[in-house]
Amino acid sequence: MKEFVVDDKTAKKYRRKSLIAFIIFFALLALGWTGWKYLNNAPRDGGIRGGLQKPLRQVLDLNEEVYSGLFSSKRLVKEYPRSKAAPRARVNGDVGLDPSLFDSASWRLQILRANGDTLSLTLDDIKQLPRYDVVFNFKCIEGWSQITWWSGARFSDLIKKYHLEKEAGMKYVGMATPDEEYYVGIDMPSIMQPQTILCYQLNAQPLPMNQGYPLRLIIPVKYGVKHLKRIGTISFSNTRPPDYWAERGYDYYTGL
Amino acid sequence: MPVRIVEKHKLATRWMHWINFPVLTIMIWSGMLIYWANDVYNVRLGGKVIVRFFPEWFYKALHIQHRLAEGMAFHFVFMWIFIINGILYIAYTLVSGEWRYLFPDRKAFREAWQVVLHDLHIRKTAPPQLKYNAAQRIAYTMIIVMGIGSVITGFAIYKPVQVQWVMILCGGYEAARVEHFLLTLGYVLFFLIHLLQVIKAGWNNFRAMVAGFEVIKEKDGSQNQSL
């Protein structure tokens, strides 16, 4: 810090400098305000890039590139002893679960293969796969979390058993409820992570209707919004499949 | 009449200060949009809720309800500016030697108390100081530590799997969210005191944060101090 006494002439110079600094300050303030207004009123795209101002969506896409680049399926979600699991799992959201539209007897898991065929599986087919339990802290995008115990078959085991290697070579998996009301898109590395399961049990009991009976997705590396309840179809693609909440302004990736 | 010039704040400091102000405001605002979706915190006394974060009228007044997606988007866009600006500030402060004015010294805590007493008009004299008094040194260092804390607890909530060790370091996922929230309350408190102090310190002090220097009319022109 420097201090010095100046004569009138120099003092005048400093006063002018001060005035210019304030003019620049207010000009930048106005510029910042204009930028803020522009950002808030920026046009919005539709589809999975919908519900958000374009510049924000662009940065979220950039974030997605950063985090999917850093993602490692070797980093496992912390698991807990079963005794820590909540006896009643919280229910949040019922889109795609309309009971009047669901017939459990005719339900099949439809897997759309790359060659156009559909692989149709029953719940027993899924139960033939090795059973895997995961007790983890389920995280909702709203901000709450709960330790819950889920059981099912690893998604990666399904790929192996039904020789879906070609499909798994693609970039994304899309899932939808039987009535197609709810749907998610998930990047392949996340869904192939060993803790991702096609889940048919909660607390060692069959899934309740409101938890997506007969089969739901549990994907601990994502927020709850991606844990689609009552899987109807599974598809594969190299472009991002439709996603219910992304269309409503949420981040597509939502990886934890 | 002679005039004394005090060159106080460097250009870089001023830029980073004024970038941080709106960016932190946006971070706090978008953070509230996120928090609203699971607004479970309150202060209880004997089982009775005395402060609720936040009451309905508060959300309504600030138009906070039902904007989680928007809040998350703004939060995860502007966090980059907050982080980069913060890193630049810390780097600049260390390299330029400005940290000497900012970092609390050994006498800081005793002196800070004297500053508080002086500010409250209980004590007549304030302890001697350089650019910042002891209370300022503590506050301006604390706020940087808090900023680092917000980034750490923020990432613990944001990427609790990929940086699980950070989440565990914070004492768990839910603990990290509480810490992140408390730090934000800290910023608001800091801001209120900061604003009052700026008003109290007057025009020249504010000018220094914009133009970099104070222009003080000397009553006695004989002094020519150099600090």
Side-chain angles (χ1 to χ4, degrees):
Chain A
M1 196 154 73
K2 271 192 300 185
E3 271 193 52
F4 41 87
V5 174
V6 294
D7 56 29
D8 281 356
K9 216 176 126 198
T10 322
K12 220 175 156 184
K13 249 168 67 185
Y14 269 95
R15 287 211 176 85
R16 183 173 306 136
K17 243 174 98 174
S18 162
L19 180 69
I20 291 167
F22 271 93
I23 290 169
I24 295 170
F25 180 73
F26 283 110
L28 287 170
L29 206 65
L31 195 72
W33 182 250
T34 312
W36 177 247
K37 284 279 139 197
Y38 162 79
L39 180 59
N40 275 275
N41 298 322
R44 293 149 191 251
D45 281 328
I48 53 167
R49 308 188 85 251
L52 266 190
Q53 295 85 341
K54 269 189 196 177
L56 294 177
R57 192 54 93 174
Q58 279 160 354
V59 180
L60 292 190
D61 286 348
L62 217 67
N63 286 357
E64 177 167 344
E65 272 182 50
V66 172
Y67 299 125
S68 55
L70 295 172
F71 179 84
S72 165
S73 57
K74 288 197 186 78
R75 281 193 281 266
L76 295 182
V77 178
K78 187 183 170 192
E79 294 194 29
Y80 296 83
R82 285 171 194 176
S83 59
K84 293 253 180 185
R88 292 174 68 88
R90 190 163 164 175
V91 178
N92 216 44
D94 55 4
V95 183
L97 297 179
D98 189 343
S100 67
L101 297 172
F102 177 64
D103 171 28
S104 68
S106 66
W107 177 87
R108 297 285 182 280
L109 176 64
Q110 313 275 353
I111 300 171
L112 311 178
R113 307 200 59 151
N115 61 10
D117 291 350
T118 301
L119 181 65
S120 198
L121 301 178
T122 63
L123 189 58
D124 282 333
D125 293 331
I126 304 296
K127 285 182 175 171
Q128 292 297 310
L129 295 163
R131 180 194 155 103
Y132 175 70
D133 293 272
V134 57
V135 184
F136 77 109
N137 193 21
F138 183 105
K139 297 167 195 78
C140 178
I141 203 160
E142 290 173 358
W144 56 266
S145 65
Q146 189 184 39
I147 297 172
T148 38
W149 171 22
W150 311 87
S151 327
R154 282 190 163 111
F155 188 83
S156 54
D157 287 342
L158 175 93
I159 296 291
K160 260 183 268 167
K161 168 91 182 274
Y162 292 96
H163 301 288
L164 298 162
E165 283 82 10
K166 193 175 168 225
E167 285 79 1
M170 294 195 221
K171 284 185 179 156
Y172 298 96
V173 167
M175 289 192 185
T177 53
D179 63 5
E180 295 183 346
E181 289 290 319
Y182 195 78
Y183 38 90
V184 295
I186 294 162
D187 56 290
M188 197 60 73
S190 295
I191 204 148
M192 292 296 280
Q193 200 260 13
Q195 290 165 305
T196 301
I197 59 172
L198 298 168
C199 162
Y200 44 79
Q201 282 187 348
L202 166 62
N203 289 330
Q205 298 297 316
L207 279 182
M209 279 297 186
N210 61 12
Q211 289 287 358
Y213 177 86
L215 191 69
R216 73 171 295 176
L217 182 69
I218 287 293
I219 178 161
V221 294
K222 299 281 186 191
Y223 278 122
V225 283
K226 296 280 190 190
H227 299 224
L228 183 130
K229 295 173 185 170
R230 188 170 299 153
I231 309 170
T233 56
I234 298 179
S235 60
F236 302 85
S237 71
N238 278 320
T239 52
R240 296 194 294 188
D243 188 277
Y244 185 88
W245 287 110
E247 288 170 5
R248 285 155 181 80
Y250 285 84
D251 176 32
Y252 191 89
Y253 187 68
T254 60
L256 294 170
Chain B
M1 192 160 29
V3 165
R4 190 153 53 98
I5 302 293
V6 184
E7 284 187 350
K8 203 169 174 186
H9 300 303
K10 297 274 171 30
L11 182 66
T13 311
R14 285 177 273 144
W15 266 98
M16 290 183 281
H17 172 269
W18 288 113
I19 286 171
N20 191 63
F21 177 46
V23 169
L24 185 56
T25 306
I26 292 168
M27 289 306 282
I28 293 172
W29 164 76
S30 56
M32 286 196 296
L33 300 187
I34 297 170
Y35 171 76
W36 171 84
N38 185 39
D39 60 338
V40 290
Y41 303 146
N42 53 50
V43 181
R44 273 175 226 213
L45 202 70
K48 230 186 109 189
V49 175
I50 48 166
V51 184
R52 193 172 122 70
F53 297 112
F54 294 92
E56 212 60 21
W57 62 262
F58 177 84
Y59 289 132
K60 283 220 175 90
L62 294 174
H63 302 286
I64 281 169
Q65 291 142 314
H66 305 286
R67 296 174 76 180
L68 171 61
E70 192 186 358
M72 291 181 84
F74 276 103
H75 214 65
F76 302 139
V77 168
F78 280 85
M79 67 167 191
W80 292 120
I81 308 176
F82 180 73
I83 292 169
I84 292 165
N85 194 51
I87 291 172
L88 288 177
Y89 176 78
I90 293 169
Y92 173 78
T93 304
L94 292 177
V95 171
S96 67
E98 284 286 301
W99 63 271
R100 286 190 188 88
Y101 296 113
L102 279 159
F103 211 70
D105 47 23
R106 257 183 304 158
K107 304 170 290 181
F109 286 92
R110 184 164 40 94
E111 281 186 13
W113 180 239
Q114 294 167 356
V115 172
V116 171
L117 292 179
H118 175 254
D119 285 356
L120 296 173
H121 303 281
I122 294 166
R123 198 187 138 104
K124 277 213 180 76
T125 56
Q129 65 175 79
L130 294 174
K131 191 183 294 193
Y132 303 115
N133 66 42
Q136 284 176 302
R137 281 170 180 259
I138 291 169
Y140 299 159
T141 302
M142 262 311 282
I143 203 79
I144 297 306
V145 174
M146 284 164 66
I148 296 168
S150 282
V151 173
I152 290 171
T153 55
F155 269 95
I157 312 163
Y158 184 39
K159 298 292 161 190
V161 179
Q162 301 311 311
V163 288
Q164 189 151 268
W165 62 276
V166 177
M167 187 261 278
I168 290 165
L169 197 78
C170 293
Y173 183 71
E174 279 170 19
R177 192 173 187 258
V178 175
E179 290 151 12
H180 202 68
F181 184 83
L182 288 175
L183 283 166
T184 310
L185 290 187
Y187 292 134
V188 176
L189 189 69
F190 174 93
F191 174 73
L192 292 176
I193 297 170
H194 191 55
L195 192 71
L196 285 175
Q197 293 283 17
V198 167
I199 293 167
K200 184 173 152 264
W203 170 247
N204 245 328
N205 175 69
F206 182 75
R207 184 211 318 251
M209 207 47 183
V210 174
F213 50 82
E214 297 184 358
V215 182
I216 304 161
K217 280 182 194 144
E218 290 269 75
K219 289 183 193 98
D220 172 356
S222 64
Q223 281 176 335
N224 189 355
Q225 290 174 305
S226 186
L227 288 172

